[in-house]
Amino acid sequence: LAGAIAFAPVTAFAADLTIGFSQIGSESGWRAAETTVTKQEAADRGINLKFADAQQKQENQIKAIRSFVAQGVDAILLAPVVATGWDEVLEEAKDADIPVVLLDRTVDAPDDLYLTAVTSDLVHEGRVAGQWLVDEMDGADCRIVELQGTTGSSPAIDRKTGFEEAIAGHDNLEIVRSQTGDFTRSKGKVVMESFLKAEGGENICALYAHNDDMAVGAIQAIKDAGLNPGDDILIVAIDAVPDAHLAIANGDMNATIELTPNMAGPALDALEAYLADGTTPPKWIQTESKLFTAADDNQAIYEQKKDLGY
Ligand code: GYE
């Protein structure tokens, strides 16, 4: 019998796994794609995925994690809406010997409270966005407005840090307004309207949005103000969702940095290995970041991405 157990193939082992997924919500097209891909990756592995949508509220994520612990799931996936306030509930999962893997965002907690974090280098994304604008302006003055992601989330903190690092030392570039649009199209539009009203559209040279959905909302506000997005106001954002490629193809946007929605593939691979034989993954599994501009065939990329669940 022991011999049989020792040679049980991992795929058969995975068929018995039950994993809880505490997802933030569906605030952006990218988030919707991550949910679609995660469900598919679990199904492909024969994993029983218990999905909980928190409507962007941390207390709902904490409740979901407690429920998963009470159910005795084998592991937990967590996309943490904000970076703080997780220590207690992650301790409870640890005490129950339930490994937690973070998806697309990190937490300010001791790293023995989670198995690994599968994320992009969020600071690097901000640097790439800032460097694109430095190169684009080539020394010319540019007054920048910034749409920040969800307040207190690691992408909002890190993408701001990276962008500011890239433009530091270039006195021709200045961020004149910066406010959260909570990663959503609707708030991106409303906050951009307030920027245009406060500054006057003719005094805004560029928009840096922490995700494409806020940029798409802002594009509508810029058009409503009778200005040409991508021309009167340059726009750089992050995610590379289909609608960002479409906007770039149409000349309404200038650049985006790709964030893969498939964090679950590497996460579930690491969990299967850990649960099967204790293989410990690195604390950070980094996903790639690629810059897309008008030089790329954005129409073709849009066609490739549009049916991936965004
Ligand atoms: O950029 C945005 C989503 O956590 C990095 O969350 C992720 C961000 C992503 O709302 O579209």
Side-chain angles (χ1 to χ4, degrees):
L1 179 60
I5 290 172
F7 290 100
V10 169
T11 42
F13 181 87
D16 311 329
L17 288 184
T18 295
I19 294 180
F21 177 21
S22 173
Q23 178 59 298
I24 290 173
S26 53
E27 74 280 1
S28 68
W30 183 89
R31 181 73 50 198
E34 183 188 59
T35 294
T36 302
V37 171
T38 302
K39 289 177 175 176
Q40 188 58 56
E41 288 286 341
D44 292 349
R45 289 167 169 78
I47 289 171
N48 172 26
L49 188 78
K50 291 179 175 293
F51 180 76
D53 178 318
Q55 277 89 40
Q56 285 189 267
K57 291 183 173 59
Q58 181 176 29
E59 63 265 25
N60 291 343
Q61 292 200 282
I62 291 172
K63 279 184 200 143
I65 294 167
R66 288 198 164 118
S67 168
F68 294 148
V69 171
Q71 294 172 59
V73 297
D74 297 298
I76 292 169
L77 298 176
L78 169 65
V81 60
V82 292
T84 56
W86 300 100
D87 294 48
E88 187 180 339
V89 74
L90 292 179
E91 281 284 358
E92 292 166 22
K94 186 169 190 282
D95 292 347
D97 286 328
I98 298 174
V100 176
V101 171
L102 304 178
L103 301 186
D104 69 83
R105 297 187 185 179
T106 55
V107 298
D108 295 344
D111 70 8
D112 67 331
L113 293 182
Y114 56 88
L115 182 65
T116 185
V118 182
T119 80
S120 57
D121 181 335
L122 296 156
V123 176
H124 172 70
E125 293 168 335
R127 287 195 197 103
V128 171
Q131 190 57 51
W132 175 84
L133 191 59
V134 166
D135 297 342
E136 189 68 20
M137 294 314 300
D138 192 23
D141 286 350
C142 189
R143 301 175 88 250
I144 306 159
V145 294
E146 178 183 25
L147 287 170
Q148 296 181 34
T150 300
T151 302
S153 68
S154 63
I157 294 163
D158 292 351
R159 286 171 177 173
K160 182 169 188 47
T161 300
F163 187 86
E164 288 172 346
E165 282 178 4
I167 69 169
H170 297 275
D171 297 342
N172 57 308
L173 303 180
E174 181 193 4
I175 299 173
V176 296
R177 296 266 169 180
S178 181
Q179 194 177 324
T180 184
D182 211 15
F183 284 130
T184 69
R185 293 189 182 203
S186 56
K187 287 184 187 160
K189 179 173 184 288
V190 168
V191 175
M192 188 66 207
E193 284 165 352
S194 72
F195 287 162
L196 289 161
K197 194 155 182 264
E199 290 293 327
E202 66 285 0
N203 299 317
I204 298 173
C205 152
L207 163 66
Y208 167 47
H210 291 186
N211 81 333
D212 291 338
D213 278 64
M214 293 189 291
V216 169
I219 285 168
Q220 194 51 55
I222 293 166
K223 287 181 174 177
D224 293 348
L227 295 167
N228 296 319
D231 186 13
D232 296 327
I233 297 179
L234 299 176
I235 300 175
V236 55
I238 302 171
D239 281 347
V241 300
D243 283 347
H245 289 289
L246 201 55
I248 296 172
N250 295 335
D252 290 341
M253 189 171 164
N254 305 91
T256 185
I257 295 141
E258 187 171 59
L259 176 72
T260 176
N262 191 351
M263 305 285 173
L268 294 175
D269 289 347
L271 274 171
E272 285 179 330
Y274 176 74
L275 292 168
D277 58 24
T279 305
T280 305
K283 275 298 172 185
W284 181 25
I285 298 172
Q286 182 184 341
T287 62
E288 295 308 305
S289 306
K290 183 178 185 302
L291 175 68
F292 287 92
T293 68
D296 296 290
D297 186 350
N298 289 281
Q299 187 62 45
I301 300 166
Y302 167 76
E303 294 301 330
Q304 287 162 11
K305 290 188 176 183
K306 67 182 172 54
D307 300 322
L308 296 181
Y310 283 88

